[in-house]
Amino acid sequence: MIQQHCMLRKPWSLAFAAEPEELAALRRIARMHLRLWGLNHLDEAVELCVTEMVANVIRHVGLGTPTELTLSMSGTFLRIEVLDPDLRALPTLLAGALDSETGRGMRLVDAVTDRWGVLLKADRKVVWCELATGLADPEGHVVHASVDRAEALLGLYGQVVLSRSDASSDVARVDAPVGKTTAIEVIADMLCWADAHGFDVDEVVESAELRCESELRTRSG
């Protein structure tokens, strides 16, 4: 049976001053967290939401406004929040073409997310949106045949390593730990195997990266 190992996705937030030059850094940091959380397939939609939601603060609240960006899980949805201190400038959906110069921000967010809204607190406004992740549970991984095969392989590998180091431990053989370290060990052993059989290791790595990129593109649709 394939073990579904958990991935802890802790809420993350960053305080910053709302300036146009901050947008590239915010997108980069958001991508980094999506990668750490195994949610790379959402990167384009998340980058758009972060850009438009922060740009709304810059346009309608003002340059240099103290702002905060938060990423978290809301059940199996990814939640993005942008907080600012202005309780009056509320984002709305405006009629018009998506390529118009004004009023397009929240229409773009509305187009790529599953839901969005505004929360008013005593001293700040929270503009939020949520995107479906495709996860079966908040700490699981995206359901995909490649990921399931890797989970099964890592589990078997861990059992072999532990059974050789402690042949008397039945528990170790059944419940082998799986994680980043084990994954690196598996990849390293596979490359050693390729070298021992006369294959070009660099070519194997390049082919594997291309295959992975193709799988990720297919998964993101």
Side-chain angles (χ1 to χ4, degrees):
M1 181 177 69
I2 296 175
Q3 298 179 1
Q4 298 296 324
H5 298 279
C6 294
M7 176 180 290
L8 187 59
R9 299 178 174 94
K10 295 182 179 180
W12 165 86
S13 62
L14 176 67
F16 61 96
E19 302 281 355
E21 53 267 28
E22 294 290 338
L23 291 174
L26 292 171
R27 288 191 293 264
R28 183 171 63 252
I29 294 171
R31 284 197 308 270
M32 179 188 71
H33 279 82
L34 292 176
R35 184 173 66 251
L36 293 174
W37 288 358
L39 300 175
N40 309 57
H41 59 293
L42 297 178
D43 57 2
E44 290 185 5
V46 170
E47 286 185 38
L48 184 149
C49 291
V50 169
T51 298
E52 296 301 333
M53 292 164 72
V54 174
N56 263 359
V57 177
I58 295 172
R59 285 193 296 264
H60 302 297
V61 182
L63 290 172
T65 298
T67 311
E68 186 175 336
L69 171 67
T70 297
L71 298 181
S72 63
M73 296 299 298
S74 175
T76 58
F77 287 80
L78 177 70
R79 184 179 179 93
I80 306 169
E81 296 181 348
V82 172
L83 298 75
D84 72 72
D86 193 319
L87 302 179
R88 298 165 301 173
L90 303 181
T92 58
L93 293 178
L94 299 179
L98 286 176
D99 59 356
S100 63
E101 291 298 320
T102 61
R104 62 193 286 269
M106 294 313 297
R107 282 186 290 111
L108 288 172
V109 172
D110 183 68
V112 301
T113 62
D114 292 88
R115 49 190 179 237
W116 70 274
V118 182
L119 294 175
L120 295 180
K121 299 189 176 183
D123 60 346
R124 57 185 173 171
K125 170 173 82 260
V126 182
V127 181
W128 62 270
C129 63
E130 294 182 353
L131 298 89
T133 61
L135 299 175
D137 63 80
E139 295 184 355
H141 62 66
V142 174
V143 178
H144 193 273
S146 297
V147 179
D148 287 342
R149 287 195 298 268
E151 288 275 351
L153 177 60
L154 289 169
L156 291 172
Y157 185 91
Q159 291 173 28
V160 169
V161 171
L162 286 180
S163 64
R164 287 180 176 177
S165 63
D166 185 3
S168 65
S169 175
D170 291 334
V171 175
R173 286 197 294 272
V174 172
D175 190 20
V178 175
K180 180 179 178 180
T181 299
T182 307
I184 292 173
E185 290 173 351
V186 170
I187 294 170
D189 284 354
M190 288 296 184
L191 293 178
C192 289
W193 175 90
D195 181 71
H197 286 75
F199 297 109
D200 186 319
V201 172
D202 290 335
E203 182 180 341
V204 171
V205 171
E206 182 179 358
S207 296
E209 289 178 339
L210 291 173
R211 175 65 177 271
C212 179
E213 290 172 0
S214 176
E215 293 280 1
L216 292 175
R217 284 196 298 271
T218 300
R219 186 191 311 170
S220 63

